[in-house]
């Protein structure tokens, strides 16, 4: 027993990695898959087409916790007894600037890397694999793949002498050819999760893969949140949107998790979960264990979402101080910023689903005739905004500071771009010198990166600074 605790606490010791790739694979038991029969039937149908040699690509789109990963797991379980290869790539927000990071994470186990391998040993494994599985004509495959894996190039191999752009194109071609070579041996299920966090190089690879339209026994299942904007031709991909569960489906899910919960409490959880399966499960488990008030999980999610929006968070708080509906003119007078800067932040809030636009201005997520679910969601927004937040004067001051910082950042980026041009450097040159992805650099220079780190700006600045200036 721990002093002050009402019940004994279990103590665990970490021995080793379990091999589970996500929380679903690590779970001892899973709740029934409810309300997703049409989607799983569509995935199984696409797989049958793929087995017959017709390449299929499906995008599962839905909010966090809606059940995208659960559908993928259900599909994998259905294929467990079939002769096929399953390759899974996962994107993470902390690696959204790391070129080909999902590919590097996949290649490691394929090549037999172990956590204690030194770089030289990993390079030797890579070279042996390439010699066995790649054409002899791919003389640059080893050094190019070594760069993807952040490994040094060792003798007798040499780094490619081609331009950075040609090296990039060759790397993409090598990766695509290997994928199709594997599909020629047996059907492949390729899973790429959380595309909203994919790095630009991985997105470029997927775009080329989709555009090729080659015949192969392969099903590619992609997942993303609704705010993801695909860079490829959308007609080439079948999109399966995952909607919120109906109230009766949510109630069935809660009963499967904790059948002992009273009907009145079930109704309250249904209202709070807003049709999101993960929320419904977690809320039901919490109530079943603690038998206390239902936690404010949706408010916590909203707070986390707002924290990622930088200066836009202050704009949202200022808007909430006006009310459920507000005009852009009134908001501009409160936050004391120019029209262009405010419009940029409002677009970010719209993309995040916090506000929506009407002909008369901007409205907080509410339509003219809001549904019950929309009303509950907006009430959650208002509670989070007003729960212990700043006064109107404090919001005005914070907004001015945040937007001033944003405008300074834009001025810095303009200055860096001018300096690069004056030095006669291309984005390829900067990418090679800084180690930053070229596509990311382009987005950075065009003001499309909301919160670049100081390290990124420093690496950019060093890359465009002549050596004579550093002495």
């Amino acid at each position: 027993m721990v002093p002050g605790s009402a019940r004994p606490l279990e103590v665990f010791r970490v021995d080793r990695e379990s091999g589970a790739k996500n929380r679903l694979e690590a779970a001892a038991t899973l709740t029934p898959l409810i309300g997703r029969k049409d989607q799983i039937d569509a995935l199984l149908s696409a797989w049958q087409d793929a087995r017959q040699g017709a390449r299929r690509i499906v995008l599962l789109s839905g909010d966090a916790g809606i059940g995208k990963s659960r559908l993928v797991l259900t599909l994998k379980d259905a294929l467990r007894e079939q002769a096929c290869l399953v390759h899974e790539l996962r994107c993470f927000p902390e690696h959204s600037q790391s070129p080909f990071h999902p590919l590097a994470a996949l290649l490691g186990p394929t090549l037999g890397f172990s956590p204690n391998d030194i770089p030289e040993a990993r390079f030797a494994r890579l070279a042996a694999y390439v010699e066995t599985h790649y054409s002899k004509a791919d003389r640059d495959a080893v050094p190019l793949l070594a760069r993807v894996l952040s490994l040094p190039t060792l003798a007798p191999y040499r780094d490619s002498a081609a331009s950075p752009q040609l090296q990039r194109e060759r790397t993409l071609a090598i990766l695509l050819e290997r994928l199709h070579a594997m599909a020629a041996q047996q059907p492949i299920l390729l899973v790429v999760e959380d595309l909203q966090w994919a790095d630009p190089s991985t997105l470029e690879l997927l775009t080329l893969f989709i555009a090729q339209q080659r015949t192969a026994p392969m099903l590619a299942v992609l997942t993303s949140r609704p705010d993801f904007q695909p860079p490829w031709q959308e007609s080439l991909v079948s999109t399966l949107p995952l909607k919120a569960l109906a109230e009766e489906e949510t109630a069935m899910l809660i009963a499967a998790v904790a059948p002992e919960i009273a009907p009145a409490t079930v109704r309250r959880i249904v209202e709070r979960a807003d049709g999101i399966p993960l929320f419904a499960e977690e809320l039901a488990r919490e109530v079943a264990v603690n038998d206390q008030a239902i936690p404010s999980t949706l408010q916590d999610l909203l707070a986390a979402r707002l924290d990622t929006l930088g200066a836009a968070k202050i704009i949202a708080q200022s808007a909430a101080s006006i009310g459920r509906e507000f005009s852009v003119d009134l908001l501009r007078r409160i936050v004391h910023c120019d029209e262009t800067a405010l419009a940029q932040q409002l677009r970010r809030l719209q993309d995040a689903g916090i506000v929506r636009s009407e002909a008369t201005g901007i409205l907080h997520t509410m339509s003219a005739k809001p549904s019950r679910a929309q009303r509950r969601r907006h009430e959650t927004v208002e509670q989070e905004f007003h729960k212990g937040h700043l006064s109107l004067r404090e919001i005005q001051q914070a907004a001015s500071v945040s937007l001033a910082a944003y405008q300074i950042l834009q001025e810095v980026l303009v200055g860096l771009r001018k300096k690069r041009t004056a030095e006669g450097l291309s984005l390829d040159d900067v990418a090679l010198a800084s180690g930053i992805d070229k596509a990311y650099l382009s987005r950075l220079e065009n003001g499309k990166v909301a919160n670049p780190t100081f390290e990124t700006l420093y690496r950019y600045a060093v890359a465009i600074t002549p050596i004579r200036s550093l002495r």
Side-chain angles (χ1 to χ4, degrees), residues 8-148:
L9 297 180
E10 289 186 276
V11 178
F12 298 89
R13 183 183 67 190
V14 176
D15 290 330
R16 63 186 183 281
E17 292 184 1
S18 67
K21 300 180 179 66
N22 55 42
R23 65 174 185 85
L24 295 174
E25 293 185 5
T29 59
L30 292 172
T31 55
L33 186 64
I34 296 174
R36 298 291 183 241
K37 184 179 184 303
D38 290 346
Q39 288 83 2
I40 194 62
D41 286 348
L43 289 175
L44 290 172
S45 176
W47 172 250
Q48 292 305 318
D49 291 342
R51 289 188 66 192
Q52 301 302 317
R55 191 185 71 163
R56 293 288 182 263
I57 305 173
V58 178
L59 173 64
L60 300 178
S61 176
D63 289 322
I66 202 70
K68 301 183 293 295
S69 295
R70 178 62 190 278
L71 271 176
V72 170
L73 181 62
T74 302
L75 175 62
K76 290 194 302 177
D77 286 344
L79 308 186
R80 197 176 297 277
E81 302 300 324
Q82 299 186 26
C84 64
L85 291 174
V86 179
H87 290 298
E88 297 181 77
L89 283 65
R90 287 180 172 81
C91 308
F92 299 94
E94 61 268 29
H95 296 298
S96 62
Q97 301 175 28
S98 304
F100 300 114
H101 182 269
L103 269 298
L106 173 67
L107 287 173
T110 302
L111 298 172
F113 289 173
S114 67
N116 297 323
D117 281 345
I118 61 174
E120 291 77 7
R122 293 190 171 192
F123 182 85
R125 291 180 185 273
L126 169 64
Y129 183 88
V130 171
E131 293 293 340
T132 303
H133 295 88
Y134 285 70
S135 167
K136 299 299 182 183
D138 292 329
R139 302 182 59 182
D140 289 336
V142 172
L144 290 176
L145 291 178
R147 174 168 292 184
V148 171

Side-chain angles (χ1 to χ4, degrees), residues 18 30 95 114 133 141 182 215 257 293 350 370 393 399 416 452:
S18 67
L30 292 172
H95 296 298
S114 67
H133 295 88
M182 290 188 293
T215 300
V257 174
Q350 284 182 260
R393 178 175 294 277
L416 289 173

Side-chain angles (χ1 to χ4, degrees), residues 55 57 176 180 203-214 231-233 236-237:
R55 191 185 71 163
I57 305 173
L176 287 175
H180 284 97
L203 285 178
E204 184 177 1
L205 178 67
L206 286 174
T207 301
L208 289 173
F209 166 73
I210 292 169
Q212 282 185 344
Q213 302 186 61
R214 291 173 57 172
W232 50 76
Q233 184 179 333
L236 299 177
V237 176

Side-chain angles (χ1 to χ4, degrees), residues 126-442:
L126 169 64
Y129 183 88
V130 171
E131 293 293 340
T132 303
H133 295 88
Y134 285 70
S135 167
K136 299 299 182 183
D138 292 329
R139 302 182 59 182
D140 289 336
V142 172
L144 290 176
L145 291 178
R147 174 168 292 184
V148 171
L149 294 166
S150 300
L151 294 175
T153 300
L154 304 177
Y157 301 95
R158 295 181 179 179
D159 286 325
S160 173
S163 68
Q165 181 61 30
L166 287 177
Q167 290 185 47
R168 183 182 186 83
E169 292 173 0
R170 188 66 192 127
T171 300
L172 292 169
I174 288 171
L175 292 170
L176 287 175
E177 285 300 325
R178 186 59 202 151
L179 182 61
H180 284 97
M182 290 188 293
Q185 299 172 8
Q186 59 181 319
I188 287 182
L189 171 62
L190 175 66
V191 177
V192 188
E193 293 214 56
D194 291 317
L195 285 178
Q196 71 276 1
W197 295 323
D199 63 272
S201 296
T202 297
L203 285 178
E204 184 177 1
L205 178 67
L206 286 174
T207 301
L208 289 173
F209 166 73
I210 292 169
Q212 282 185 344
Q213 302 186 61
R214 291 173 57 172
T215 300
M218 184 187 309
L219 169 61
V221 179
L222 319 175
T223 75
S224 74
R225 295 184 184 175
D227 56 355
F228 172 68
Q229 298 295 322
W232 50 76
Q233 184 179 333
E234 295 188 41
S235 62
L236 299 177
V237 176
S238 300
T239 300
L240 287 180
L242 300 188
K243 298 181 180 179
L245 296 180
E247 291 189 356
E248 59 272 18
E249 293 171 334
T250 306
M252 291 172 59
L253 182 61
I254 295 168
V257 174
E260 69 275 17
I261 295 179
T265 304
V266 169
R267 287 193 294 272
R268 291 167 54 209
I269 295 175
V270 168
E271 292 179 356
R272 184 63 60 86
D274 210 16
I276 306 297
L278 177 61
F279 296 158
E281 286 186 37
E282 295 303 319
L283 290 172
R285 289 193 177 98
E286 184 71 18
V287 170
V289 171
N290 294 326
D291 195 24
Q292 296 176 354
I294 299 174
S296 300
T297 304
L298 295 180
Q299 292 179 343
D300 293 339
L301 174 68
L302 177 62
R305 181 184 297 181
L306 287 170
D307 285 340
T308 68
L309 295 178
K313 175 180 178 179
I314 301 297
I315 298 298
Q317 291 172 327
S318 302
S321 70
I322 299 173
R324 179 165 299 184
E325 300 182 5
F326 61 89
S327 72
V328 175
D329 287 339
L330 176 57
L331 181 61
R332 186 185 302 116
R333 289 197 294 271
I334 290 177
V335 298
H336 302 299
C337 70
D338 66 73
E339 184 175 351
T340 301
L342 179 59
Q344 289 174 328
Q345 300 307 322
L346 287 174
R347 279 196 296 271
R348 295 191 66 199
L349 291 172
Q350 284 182 260
D351 292 341
I354 303 300
V355 301
R356 66 185 298 268
S357 176
E358 292 288 351
T360 56
I362 302 293
L363 304 179
H364 284 243
T365 63
M366 298 293 285
S367 60
K369 296 180 179 179
S371 67
R372 212 162 36 135
Q374 288 175 315
R375 188 178 295 110
R376 287 199 301 270
R377 187 178 296 113
H378 180 73
E379 288 170 355
T380 302
V381 171
E382 287 191 315
Q383 290 170 16
E384 174 57 35
F385 283 156
H386 293 297
K387 183 181 64 177
H389 275 308
L390 307 174
S391 68
L392 180 57
R393 178 175 294 277
E394 290 170 327
I395 287 175
Q396 290 175 334
Q397 294 170 345
S400 299
V401 172
S402 295
L403 286 168
Y406 177 82
Q407 291 166 343
I408 290 172
L409 172 62
Q410 301 310 305
E411 293 172 4
V412 169
L413 294 175
V414 169
L416 289 173
R417 186 166 59 247
K418 288 181 177 179
K419 176 69 173 177
R420 175 179 67 78
T421 303
E423 294 293 336
L425 298 173
S426 68
L427 282 179
D428 284 323
D429 297 326
V430 179
L432 189 61
S434 66
I436 302 173
D437 188 87
K438 176 187 172 183
Y440 179 83
L441 285 172
S442 177

